[in-house]
């Protein structure tokens, strides 16, 4: 079976905001991006999926199993999450990455085994942060911290990697560095990725599928070519845009049009 | 690897140093007092069970030493656990109002004169009930459904402390002179506990909680990244936080009901230990436990000997030394909360 995640009629949220019966599925090896304006329900969807918020309706099946019935340890062995902000901690990078092995610790196992350290170092090498292993995490740049967070997630050896706006605090060079890495992991390890991302052009460049959210609903789903169309984007974001093609990647690209320049737009 | 190994070796060395200091302080505590016993006389005294020195040693000083150790260790352990849960260096049983609640519970029982057929265990039960009710209030007011709002919790704790001390004043104003004396003496903090059962309860309770908390070391380490991250690492945050909170309420209730109000141990010792051994809870818990015990033993000896033949309330001494150490730590160049 190729299907990894199936979300059916997922509903729930906060007092003043509710997600409305969202349905979608992810196949193994997908690199999917959740896009949409602020307050459209992207993070709420992730929280409902992970059980951080309790859904009022709907099911989340992971590899055929109901995610809400999985133990928190089993869940952490299957799905790893990387947040937008990395905690400010005095831990060294190696100590931080080793936390990813917590889901595999036995009850009376206080210290990590050689195997855990070997795995942490293997993934640190893969992500290019092995040279920082003894450096305090807080002394790294924002981009390097994100790489460390992805590495920590990798040491959980998950099947699905969830990223919540991993690049929103980074400059373009670090955005590319982090997403190149995720893309490499997606290809080489066949790691399924679901990422919330604000930047439509990054989403279009890296994801093979996009889920566009609008007012708590899944508005449009498909390939970047199917979703990144100016009519759809303008309707959802309520702003005028022009779409074109990235000359190198041939992926659709969104260009913003300032209101003061609207007079020169001819359609 | 080298840095990690270096940190581990350093931590083990620090733990050993604390342990050796603890042994030295224990002997010092056993030998100090009105009746001087030289350390050279110790083997001789131990071989003479009928002598007065032996009675002083075994019936007065040893129980006091055990009580000082277990109360100090328990307060420090409570502090380090609460700081771990809330990722805030200012959190400890006193700042969260748990001690205030426990003291109110104990004072209420002293003033009302109820016995509830609990005998010796009346005050510990009252202390734990007060601590637990406060915890419940702070928890309900300060916590959302899952994630904690630390500022709200701290403010709630401070307010509850105020309310408790006001109610304590009220109780003092209406109490008889005998219970007035009891409450005042007890609020100053004293390690003079004539009841063996209570000492055993304190020692047993603190060691038991120390052992149980080791089941949560990975959870505490994961919580250094925040509740959401910990949950995504497979930690059941709700169960962890609730269990640890109940355990710290239990310890604080015991400490306050048996030894009175002894402040600052839970704030200063964990802070100091973080500087010495780092923030890995696999080592920090032991360091704080032993360090807290050591600190209170030393304070108790000083309290007994500084103005001998009179005795200082140990709570006054921990307050002064603890406060000064804390100010010193804060005034140093690198003021950083080691998460």
């Amino acid at each position: 079976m190729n299907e990894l995640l199936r979300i059916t009629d997922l509903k729930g949220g906060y007092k003043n905001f509710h997600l409305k019966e969202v349905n979608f599925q992810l196949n193994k090896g997908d690199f999917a991006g959740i896009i949409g304006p602020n307050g459209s329900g992207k993070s709420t969807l992730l929280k409902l999926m992970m059980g951080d918020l309790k859904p009022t309706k709907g099911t989340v099946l992971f590899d055929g199993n109901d995610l809400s019935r999985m133990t928190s340890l089993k869940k952490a062995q299957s799905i790893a999450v990387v947040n937008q902000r990395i905690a400010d901690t005095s831990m060294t990078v190696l100590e931080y990455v080793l936390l990813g092995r917590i889901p595999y610790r036995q009850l009376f196992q206080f210290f990590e085994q050689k195997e855990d350290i070997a795995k942490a170092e293997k993934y640190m090498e893969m992500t290019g942060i092995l040279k920082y292993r003894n450096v305090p995490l807080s002394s790294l740049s924002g981009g390097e911290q994100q790489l460390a967070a992805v590495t920590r997630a990798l040491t959980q050896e998950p099947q699905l990697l969830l990223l919540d706006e991993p690049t929103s605090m980074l400059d373009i060079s670090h955005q590319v560095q982090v997403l190149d890495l995720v893309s490499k992991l997606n290809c080489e390890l066949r790691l399924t990725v679901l990422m919330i991302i604000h930047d439509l052009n990054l989403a279009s460049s890296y994801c093979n599928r996009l889920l566009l959210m609008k007012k708590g609903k899944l508005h449009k789903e498909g390939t970047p070519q199917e979703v990144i169309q100016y009519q759809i984007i303008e309707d959802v974001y309520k702003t005028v845009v022009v779409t074109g093609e990235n000359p190198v990647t041939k992926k659709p690209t969104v260009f913003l049009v300032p209101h003061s320049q609207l007079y020169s737009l001819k359609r | 690897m080298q840095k990690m190994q270096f940190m581990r070796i350093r931590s083990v060395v620090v733990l050993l140093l604390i342990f050796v200091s603890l042994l030295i302080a224990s002997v010092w505590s056993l030998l100090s007092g009105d009746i001087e016993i030289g350390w050279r006389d110790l083997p001789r005294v131990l071989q003479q069970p009928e002598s007065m020195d032996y009675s002083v040693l075994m019936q007065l000083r040893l129980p006091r030493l055990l009580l000082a150790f277990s109360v100090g260790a328990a307060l420090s352990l409570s502090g380090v656990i609460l700081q771990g849960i809330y990722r805030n260096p200012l959190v400890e049983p006193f700042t969260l109002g748990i001690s205030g609640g426990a003291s109110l519970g104990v004072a209420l029982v002293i003033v009302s004169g109820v016995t509830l057929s609990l005998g010796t265990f009346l005050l510990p039960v009252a202390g734990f009930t007060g601590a637990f009710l406060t915890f419940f209030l702070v928890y309900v007011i300060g916590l959302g459904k899952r994630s904690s709002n630390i500022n709200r919790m701290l403010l709630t704790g401070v307010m509850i402390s105020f309310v408790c001390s006001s109610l304590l004043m009220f109780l003092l104003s209406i109490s008889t002179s005998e219970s007035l004396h009891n409450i005042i003496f007890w609020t100053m903090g004293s390690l003079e506990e004539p009841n063996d059962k209570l000492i055993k309860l304190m020692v047993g309770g603190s060691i038991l909680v120390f052992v149980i908390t080791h089941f949560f070391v990975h959870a505490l380490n994961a919580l250094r990244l925040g509740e959401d991250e910990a949950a995504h690492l497979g930690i059941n945050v709700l169960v962890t936080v609730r269990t640890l909170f109940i355990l710290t309420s239990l310890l604080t209730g015991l400490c306050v009901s048996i030894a009175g109000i002894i402040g600052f141990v839970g704030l200063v010792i964990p802070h100091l230990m973080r500087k010495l051994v780092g923030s890995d809870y696999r080592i920090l818990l032991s360091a704080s436990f032993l360090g807290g015990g050591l600190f209170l033993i030393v304070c108790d000896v000083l309290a007994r000997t500084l103005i001998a033949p009179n005795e200082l309330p140990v709570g006054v001494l921990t307050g002064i030394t603890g406060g000064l150490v804390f100010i010193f730590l804060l005034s140093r160049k690198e003021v950083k909360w080691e998460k």
Side-chain angles (χ1 to χ4, degrees):
Chain A
M1 207 166 88
N2 204 26
E3 181 183 289
L4 184 67
L5 185 77
R6 173 174 287 277
I7 288 181
T8 316
D9 296 336
L10 193 65
K11 196 176 165 184
Y14 305 95
K15 267 183 191 165
N16 50 358
F17 179 80
H18 256 252
L19 209 67
K20 292 156 197 149
E21 299 187 0
V22 170
N23 290 284
F24 72 90
Q25 66 165 78
L26 277 187
N27 291 328
K28 287 176 184 164
D30 268 349
F31 190 153
I34 304 176
I35 53 174
N38 292 335
S40 59
K42 303 182 296 293
S43 293
T44 310
L45 172 61
L46 217 64
K47 286 197 165 101
L48 285 169
M49 255 178 66
M50 287 303 290
D52 295 344
L53 283 174
K54 206 172 176 193
T56 50
K57 193 187 163 193
T59 51
V60 181
L61 289 183
F62 182 83
D63 219 6
N65 302 308
D66 189 344
L67 202 64
S68 64
R69 288 172 192 272
M70 276 164 80
T71 62
S72 40
L73 277 182
K74 182 77 191 140
K75 216 190 278 183
Q77 289 171 2
S78 312
I79 304 173
V81 183
V82 174
N83 288 320
Q84 178 184 355
R85 280 179 184 277
I86 308 300
D88 178 25
T89 162
S90 61
M91 286 179 216
T92 64
V93 174
L94 179 61
E95 284 170 328
Y96 175 71
V97 170
L98 275 171
L99 289 180
R101 299 305 294 168
I102 284 182
Y104 297 93
R105 294 259 163 87
Q106 304 297 320
L107 189 60
F108 294 105
Q109 187 198 331
F110 286 149
F111 292 99
E112 48 281 317
Q113 292 172 338
K114 277 183 183 165
E115 182 198 340
D116 295 321
I117 295 173
K119 278 191 173 157
E121 287 183 337
K122 178 181 111 184
Y123 292 118
M124 285 164 85
E125 190 160 19
M126 190 183 274
T127 55
I129 57 162
L130 190 58
K131 55 181 178 281
Y132 300 126
R133 65 181 171 186
N134 296 325
V135 172
L137 183 72
S138 52
S139 68
L140 298 187
S141 71
E144 288 157 349
Q145 287 190 11
Q146 262 317 335
L147 293 181
V150 173
T151 316
R152 197 213 69 220
L154 279 181
T155 53
Q156 286 176 240
E157 304 201 313
Q159 288 172 272
L160 174 63
L161 181 62
L162 294 181
L163 302 154
D164 189 357
E165 298 187 32
T167 55
S168 59
M169 318 279 279
L170 308 180
D171 61 40
I172 51 171
S173 142
H174 284 109
Q175 286 178 353
V176 170
Q177 193 184 1
V178 170
L179 291 183
D180 272 352
L181 169 68
V182 176
S183 182
K184 180 176 134 187
L185 300 170
N186 172 248
C187 292
E188 289 180 5
L189 305 178
R190 217 169 164 255
L191 183 66
T192 310
V193 180
L194 180 61
M195 164 172 79
I196 293 181
I197 189 154
H198 260 299
D199 189 315
L200 298 176
N201 293 332
L202 284 176
S204 169
S205 301
Y206 285 96
C207 302
N208 64 350
R209 282 183 61 209
L210 292 180
L211 307 159
L212 176 62
M213 302 286 297
K214 180 189 175 187
K215 293 180 182 168
K217 280 184 180 168
L218 185 55
H219 182 72
K220 177 84 182 165
E221 184 195 348
T223 60
Q225 284 79 4
E226 288 165 339
V227 177
I228 307 286
Q229 294 180 18
Y230 81 88
Q231 299 95 327
I232 299 173
I233 300 298
E234 286 185 353
D235 172 40
V236 173
Y237 286 86
K238 303 293 176 213
T239 190
V240 179
V241 295
V242 173
T243 50
E245 194 182 76
N246 182 317
V248 179
T249 63
K250 306 295 177 203
K251 292 282 181 71
T253 305
V254 177
F255 301 97
L256 307 176
V257 183
H259 277 217
S260 57
Q261 305 287 314
L262 277 179
Y263 63 91
S264 58
L265 179 67
K266 288 173 190 165
R267 276 181 176 153
Chain B
M1 268 314 287
Q2 297 91 333
K3 170 109 193 250
M4 231 166 96
Q5 270 170 354
F6 171 72
M7 272 308 287
R8 290 258 165 88
I9 292 168
R10 187 184 138 158
S11 305
V12 172
V13 170
V14 171
L15 273 182
L16 275 174
L17 282 177
I18 296 173
F19 191 71
V20 171
S21 314
L22 192 63
L23 291 179
I24 296 170
S26 300
V27 175
W28 183 33
S29 166
L30 287 173
L31 300 180
S32 310
D34 290 345
I35 300 169
E36 291 250 342
I37 303 171
W39 64 272
R40 286 200 182 109
D41 302 327
L42 201 57
R44 179 185 54 81
V45 173
L46 287 174
Q47 283 166 357
Q48 294 173 337
E50 296 84 22
S51 68
M52 200 178 93
D53 283 356
Y54 184 87
S55 305
V56 168
L57 210 61
M58 301 308 277
Q59 283 166 23
L60 292 176
R61 291 187 190 165
L62 183 65
R64 187 167 179 141
L65 167 71
L66 289 174
L67 189 64
F69 172 77
S70 52
V71 169
L75 287 173
S76 177
L77 187 66
S78 301
V80 80
I81 290 171
L82 290 172
Q83 288 158 17
I85 296 174
Y86 296 109
R87 304 175 73 224
N88 190 307
L90 296 176
V91 175
E92 65 134 8
F94 286 83
T95 48
L96 277 187
I98 300 175
S99 304
S103 13
L104 187 64
V106 174
L108 211 60
V109 166
I110 295 179
V111 170
S112 66
V114 292
T115 56
L116 301 169
S117 323
L118 285 167
T120 320
F121 299 109
L122 178 69
L123 291 189
V125 170
F128 172 65
T129 314
F132 190 75
L133 286 177
T134 318
F135 143 70
F136 193 72
L137 263 179
V138 173
Y139 191 81
V140 170
I141 300 172
L143 288 183
K145 272 194 171 172
R146 215 198 88 193
S147 62
S148 50
N149 183 337
I150 188 63
N151 291 334
R152 215 160 105 171
M153 276 201 45
L154 270 175
L155 281 176
T156 312
V158 170
M159 285 307 120
I160 286 178
S161 286
F162 275 128
V163 173
C164 286
S165 51
S166 303
L167 288 173
L168 202 65
M169 294 285 180
F170 170 71
L171 286 179
L172 287 174
S173 70
I174 58 161
S175 57
T176 60
S177 60
E178 193 195 337
S179 47
L180 187 75
H181 176 261
N182 281 343
I183 296 177
I184 289 178
F185 193 73
W186 164 83
T187 48
M188 284 193 288
S190 163
L191 293 165
E192 212 165 296
E193 177 54 61
N195 196 312
D196 272 359
K197 278 186 193 164
L198 288 184
I199 294 174
K200 282 179 189 158
L201 182 73
M202 189 65 235
V203 174
S206 57
I207 292 175
L208 185 69
V209 173
F210 174 65
V211 172
I212 296 174
T213 47
H214 277 79
F215 288 102
F216 295 93
V217 281
H218 296 314
L220 283 166
N221 272 342
L223 278 168
R224 290 165 69 187
L225 303 181
E227 290 187 4
D228 282 343
E229 295 253 11
H232 297 148
L233 286 169
I235 304 299
N236 191 331
V237 175
L238 205 62
V239 170
T240 303
V241 169
R242 281 185 184 167
T243 313
L244 290 176
F245 226 148
I246 291 171
L247 289 175
T248 46
S249 300
L250 187 70
L251 275 189
T252 310
L254 266 180
C255 290
V256 171
S257 56
I258 294 174
I261 297 173
I262 296 176
F264 270 113
V265 183
L267 201 67
V268 171
I269 300 301
H271 195 85
L272 206 62
M273 291 305 145
R274 272 180 219 279
K275 297 268 174 209
L276 291 174
V277 299
S279 290
D280 188 334
Y281 279 84
R282 292 173 291 190
I283 291 153
L284 184 61
L285 284 185
S286 304
S288 299
F289 188 77
L290 295 176
L294 169 66
F295 177 67
L296 205 56
I297 289 174
V298 173
C299 282
D300 180 47
V301 177
L302 292 176
R304 280 188 285 145
T305 52
L306 275 182
I307 52 163
N310 292 324
E311 190 180 319
L312 273 170
V314 73
V316 172
L317 210 62
T318 59
I320 295 169
T321 27
L324 289 177
V325 170
F326 199 69
I327 292 168
F328 168 72
L329 288 173
L330 286 176
S331 65
R332 281 172 61 183
K333 237 185 184 178
E334 252 184 68
V335 180
K336 202 175 174 210
W337 158 235
E338 306 273 331
K339 281 177 207 158

